[in-house]
């Protein structure tokens, strides 16, 4: 294995970058910021509130290191009955919002098929774990942006039907202890999340 060493001329850039990160991170404290957009015209600038704070942490179980986590606010659609879920894993390898039912204290409406049966969702991850649970509808807020009536998955709901065998292939159920977070906010890499 070849070792790489820092050259003397690289040190100032490394120190400047590290100081920039430290001052922007705030040593774990919560900060809010807003940016403004400007144009060359004489019109006033419009404030923008679309910056979602994230943190690198050990999560709610304290067993995982370097997890990229954020807070997600969910509401019962059309109401002010809301809850902020902390320690949600930001995942670039999946799509959608999935929360452990144990972290959700508000009653979100369940999505049903044409016959009135509740819909379940199975997601299989590269880690050989799967998430199973009902699909619910929520108003989701990230930073200053709000999406109403978004379908999302509730994981590990007591009393919900057992995961089908086809869902269980390859691994064990995703649990809070396995994930080390209260849910997953998937930032899909592709334009479509279900094929072309």
């Amino acid at each position: 294995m070849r070792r790489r060493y820092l050259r003397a001329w690289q040190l100032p850039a490394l120190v400047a970058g590290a100081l920039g990160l430290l001052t922007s991170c705030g040593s774990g404290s919560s900060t809010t910021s807003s940016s403004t957009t400007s144009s060359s015209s004489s019109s006033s600038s419009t404030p923008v509130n679309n910056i979602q704070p994230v943190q690198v942490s050990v999560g709610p179980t304290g067993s995982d290191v370097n997890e990229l986590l954020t807070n997600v606010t969910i509401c019962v659609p059309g109401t002010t009955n809301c809850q902020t879920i902390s320690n949600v894993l930001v995942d670039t390898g999946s799509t959608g919002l999935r929360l452990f039912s144990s972290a959700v204290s508000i009653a979100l409406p369940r999505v049903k098929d044409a016959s009135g049966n509740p819909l379940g969702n199975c997601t299989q991850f590269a880690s050989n774990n799967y998430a199973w649970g009902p699909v619910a509808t929520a108003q989701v807020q990230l930073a200053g942006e709000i999406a109403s009536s978004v379908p999302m998955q509730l994981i590990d709901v007591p009393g919900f039907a057992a995961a089908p065998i086809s869902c269980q292939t390859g691994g064990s159920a995703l649990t809070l202890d396995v994930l080390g977070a209260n849910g997953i906010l998937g930032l899909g890499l592709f334009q479509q999340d279900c094929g072309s």
Side-chain angles (χ1 to χ4, degrees):
M1 179 178 185
R2 193 176 115 188
R3 295 183 182 215
R4 302 185 86 184
Y5 296 96
L6 186 65
R7 306 241 191 273
W9 60 269
Q10 294 172 314
L11 187 58
L14 179 65
V15 170
L19 287 175
L21 283 174
L22 289 175
T23 57
S24 66
C25 290
S27 301
S29 64
S30 172
T31 60
T32 57
S33 63
S34 63
S35 62
T36 58
T37 58
S38 62
S39 64
S40 58
S41 68
S42 62
S43 65
S44 64
S45 54
T46 304
V48 177
N49 186 15
N50 64 353
I51 299 170
Q52 178 69 20
V54 297
Q55 66 180 1
V56 177
S57 177
V58 296
T61 62
S63 60
D64 292 298
V65 294
N66 296 332
E67 288 198 313
L68 184 61
L69 302 168
T70 193
N71 295 340
V72 177
T73 299
I74 57 172
C75 306
V76 175
T79 74
T80 57
N81 186 10
C82 301
Q83 177 186 4
T84 298
I85 311 292
S86 62
N87 296 309
V88 177
L89 180 69
V90 178
D91 181 22
T92 57
S94 64
T95 304
L97 179 61
R98 304 168 197 292
L99 298 172
F100 283 105
S101 64
S102 59
V104 178
S105 61
I106 59 175
L108 297 172
R110 304 283 175 86
V111 177
K112 298 180 179 181
D113 67 11
S115 301
N117 300 311
L119 292 181
N121 180 255
C122 174
T123 304
Q124 297 169 333
F125 297 96
S127 61
N128 252 359
N129 296 98
Y130 66 90
W132 167 253
V135 178
T137 304
Q139 175 180 298
V140 179
Q141 180 173 338
L142 298 171
E145 304 296 325
I146 296 174
S148 58
S149 298
V150 174
M152 56 159 288
Q153 181 185 33
L154 293 171
I155 304 171
D156 198 24
V157 174
F160 191 68
I165 297 298
S166 60
C167 178
Q168 299 178 32
T169 58
S172 61
L174 191 62
T175 65
L176 178 64
D177 289 334
V178 168
L179 184 62
N182 288 322
I184 299 172
L185 176 61
L187 305 176
L189 302 173
F190 306 104
Q191 190 173 10
Q192 287 83 19
D193 64 357
C194 56
S196 56

